Amino acid sequence: MEIKERIIKKSKELFFRYGVKSVTMDDIANELGISKKTIYLHFDDKDDIVYQLFLGEMIEDKCEWDDLYNNTSNVIERMVKSMELMKQAFSEVNPTTLFDIKKYHPRSWKIFQEHKQHFIFENLKKDLLEGIEQGYFRPEIKIDILAKMRLEQIEMGFDPHIFSITQHTLVEVQLELLDHFIRGVLTNKGTQIYNEYQPK
């Protein structure tokens, strides 16, 4: 692994564990056992690291969506598998991470919002439409409204002012919101299938 990739990987670990604001360039250098000067050979500053990291995360997210589409037989299986991915992805994430980026790294926040409003939104709509066609989701649901609501739920789940980190983990909050969302759109047929995927 080349040094630039190692810097991004270690920065991601630190940002996700402690939040972005509290991690310094010195922290990243010390964790990697390299000089700060070496980091500056590859990145302009911490904001540049966050930006490069986010670009990579967007690409990875698209690959995960593609894998889900290619390796699931129906929309409910896809949503259940996305819950597993969410559990893995958010288990080590400090909830303040997203809000640190929103407040201190506008360039990265902008690409996250673009990814959310275009790629994730369109895929959510596609899933909802497919669920209706398969008879698993209620035909009368308003797809645009619910897709937008789901997007905001994800972001809201990171807000420590709404969900205190002393009471609930980020994973608990995100999984509960997703479960509630799914159950809200299911038909009786869909509920039966969804329940079959639940742990016994």
Side-chain angles (χ1 to χ4, degrees), residues 24-181:
T24 66
M25 297 291 266
D26 283 315
D27 294 330
I28 298 166
N30 290 337
E31 284 284 327
L32 285 165
I34 61 176
S35 69
K36 210 160 49 164
K37 185 179 175 183
T38 303
I39 297 178
Y40 284 116
L41 288 173
H42 299 277
F43 300 95
D44 297 336
D45 49 24
K46 188 168 85 169
D47 185 67
D48 193 28
I49 296 178
V50 174
Y51 184 71
Q52 297 295 330
L53 169 58
F54 254 61
L55 286 176
E57 290 294 299
M58 302 303 103
I59 292 167
E60 195 175 313
D61 191 47
K62 287 178 181 178
C63 291
E64 284 180 351
W65 276 84
D66 287 343
D67 284 345
L68 281 176
Y69 274 99
N70 294 330
N71 297 299
T72 51
S73 57
N74 63 65
V75 68
I76 293 180
E77 183 187 2
R78 192 178 308 138
M79 287 189 161
V80 170
K81 286 195 173 179
S82 77
M83 291 174 98
E84 287 304 311
L85 287 174
M86 188 179 282
K87 204 182 292 185
Q88 293 166 23
F90 292 160
S91 61
E92 299 296 323
V93 178
N94 187 317
T96 64
T97 301
L98 199 64
F99 280 82
D100 284 350
I101 291 163
K102 183 178 183 178
K103 189 170 183 180
Y104 302 107
H105 302 278
R107 190 167 58 133
S108 299
W109 183 253
K110 185 182 177 189
I111 61 166
F112 169 69
Q113 289 299 310
E114 286 170 355
H115 178 72
K116 190 178 89 168
Q117 299 299 338
H118 298 291
F119 179 77
I120 301 177
F121 181 61
E122 290 306 318
N123 278 284
L124 279 170
K125 288 201 300 182
K126 199 190 301 182
D127 279 352
L128 290 170
L129 185 60
E130 186 179 320
I132 291 169
E133 289 168 352
Q134 292 173 344
Y136 297 138
F137 295 166
R138 294 184 289 111
E140 74 275 14
I141 63 173
K142 301 289 189 292
I143 289 175
D144 273 30
I145 293 173
L146 290 181
K148 284 178 184 174
M149 182 188 80
R150 178 65 199 134
L151 284 180
E152 296 311 310
Q153 278 183 339
I154 297 167
E155 198 170 309
M156 180 178 70
F158 277 89
D159 192 338
H161 299 107
I162 299 174
F163 299 104
S164 169
I165 55 177
T166 59
Q167 292 180 307
H168 305 286
T169 67
L170 178 60
V171 171
E172 279 179 316
V173 172
Q174 292 290 353
L175 291 181
E176 190 68 21
L177 290 174
L178 179 54
D179 179 67
H180 181 270
F181 174 78

